[in-house]
Amino acid sequence: MSLTKTLQHLGLALAASVVSLSAQATSLTVAYQTIPTPSNVPQADGVYEKETGAKIDWRKFDGGAEVINAVASGDVQIAYLGSSPLAAAVSRKLPIETFLVAAELGTSEELVVRNGSGIQAPQDLIGKTIATPFVSTSHYSLLAALKYWKIDPKQVNIINLTPANIVAAWARGDIDGAYTWDPALSKAKESGKVLISSGELAKLGAPTFDVWLVRKDFAEKHPDIVSAFARVTLTAYEGYTHDPAAWVANADHINKLSRLTGATPQEIPNVLAGSGFLSAADQIKTLGQPTAKALADTSAFLKEQGRIDEVLPDYAGYTTSKYVEAAASQAR
């Protein structure tokens, strides 16, 4: 065989092996929600795919209950979820673990009441119709606020609406208030006032936060993918927290967040400012016992409210810092 033909054969063999390796690339589905976050930028830019080496199907959800069902069915391997639906999922003993705190909630979720609804003070909520996505952090915060104000939830007409449906119901005048997040939150605030925020409730002993979780069966097979996912996310958070003003002044950043979440460019800076994004060092401190305790406390509250049937004796097996630790060591 001539040298030319030999090289041609080698080239074909190499191309075939590349195609074979490409075909073997891991595929996974990631659930995200309509909540603007710095990690939307690498999501839009394909950085997660590049760094994990995986083929990712990004699937948008409106609320935690839908995410739980998708994770439970095995359709979703990695998911963005609030602490309240996370506690509900863990209490069902779903095979999942929290590997990253996505955001600590402050003014990014609030209870807003309509102007002209007659609600001036908490006690005026009695008899009124308040919407929130059930089994969400907003739902948990609404119940925690009512408990703090010594109002029986049965005295309030609490209805289950997704953020998108809250916007529509608010426009029609069907509801007197809503506990929700953006973009629905900003829409409500245009003709309403805030009664309480999740940041204020955190100071009263009812903190809420968002997380990234992973199915344990997927993590056991692909720990490097989970670590790489954490590394990309933490890099995005660091880019924002280093200089928030400069970050939000970047029109490309804002446009990507708006496109992925549906929030307007005007809303996004306030949404980001209303959340806390932890560094790798703070993640490692928080994941583990602090997160396990928060899940236990949230679960106890949800059981008290009749939202879940069982509180587990221990939640430590549902949170881990090992993927952040691996990501931090890789970043050095």
Side-chain angles (χ1 to χ4, degrees):
M1 183 182 292
S2 68
L3 178 60
T4 300
K5 287 186 177 180
T6 299
L7 290 175
Q8 287 175 340
H9 278 288
L10 287 172
L12 288 171
L14 179 60
S17 68
V18 169
V19 170
S20 176
L21 287 172
S22 176
Q24 293 173 16
T26 301
S27 297
L28 71 149
T29 300
V30 175
Y32 74 102
Q33 295 194 47
T34 56
I35 304 167
T37 169
S39 62
N40 290 139
V41 172
Q43 177 185 346
D45 290 343
V47 178
Y48 282 99
E49 287 82 352
K50 178 182 176 182
E51 293 298 317
T52 63
K55 181 181 179 181
I56 301 177
D57 174 18
W58 294 91
R59 208 172 289 176
K60 183 165 68 174
F61 289 81
D62 287 327
E66 296 174 355
V67 174
I68 289 174
N69 291 335
V71 172
S73 70
D75 289 344
V76 166
Q77 289 74 50
I78 291 178
Y80 187 107
L81 194 64
S83 52
S84 179
L86 173 64
V90 167
S91 297
R92 286 170 52 185
K93 300 180 182 178
L94 293 189
I96 57 177
E97 57 187 351
T98 300
F99 69 94
L100 197 71
V101 176
E104 293 181 330
L105 305 185
T107 56
S108 55
E109 294 190 10
E110 296 175 311
L111 172 59
V112 183
V113 294
R114 176 190 298 282
N115 295 336
S117 65
I119 304 173
Q120 300 297 326
Q123 292 300 315
D124 297 329
L125 291 167
I126 295 173
K128 301 296 186 179
T129 299
I130 307 298
T132 194
F134 278 12
V135 199
S136 68
T137 46
S138 285
H139 188 196
Y140 168 79
S141 294
L142 173 59
L143 294 176
L146 293 176
K147 182 178 181 180
Y148 175 72
W149 292 323
K150 296 180 172 56
I151 299 173
D152 187 335
K154 294 178 182 177
Q155 294 179 288
V156 182
N157 181 26
I158 302 174
I159 62 173
N160 180 22
L161 292 179
T162 65
N165 287 333
I166 284 174
V167 172
W170 189 281
R172 293 192 301 267
D174 293 347
I175 55 178
D176 300 301
Y179 207 127
T180 188
W181 55 84
D182 275 298
L185 176 59
S186 292
K187 297 294 184 186
K189 287 166 73 172
E190 290 174 2
S191 56
K193 68 174 183 178
V194 175
L195 274 192
I196 198 166
S197 73
S198 293
E200 292 172 286
L201 282 166
K203 295 176 182 177
L204 296 172
T208 49
F209 51 95
D210 291 339
V211 306
W212 282 106
L213 64 83
V214 62
R215 282 186 59 96
K216 289 183 178 181
D217 53 2
F218 180 85
E220 288 169 0
K221 293 178 182 177
H222 307 286
D224 292 345
I225 290 179
V226 182
S227 296
F229 193 99
R231 185 175 68 250
V232 173
T233 307
L234 290 169
T235 299
Y237 291 172
E238 184 180 358
Y240 171 77
T241 58
H242 176 70
D243 191 343
W247 198 96
V248 299
N250 186 318
D252 183 56
H253 289 166
I254 299 301
N255 288 336
K256 286 169 181 172
L257 268 64
S258 180
R259 177 166 57 83
L260 286 173
T261 68
T264 68
Q266 295 73 30
E267 294 164 352
I268 289 169
N270 289 333
V271 177
L272 297 176
S275 299
F277 302 102
L278 302 182
S279 66
D282 288 335
Q283 293 275 352
I284 293 169
K285 292 177 185 175
T286 303
L287 292 165
Q289 185 54 35
T291 299
K293 182 180 185 304
L295 289 176
D297 292 345
T298 303
S299 297
F301 180 85
L302 292 175
K303 186 174 187 301
E304 179 186 319
Q305 297 295 322
R307 299 296 171 180
I308 61 174
D309 297 325
E310 180 184 6
V311 175
L312 304 182
D314 186 14
Y315 287 81
Y318 295 91
T319 175
T320 179
S321 63
K322 65 182 179 182
Y323 300 107
V324 172
E325 291 169 2
S329 66
Q330 292 163 4
R332 293 192 186 102

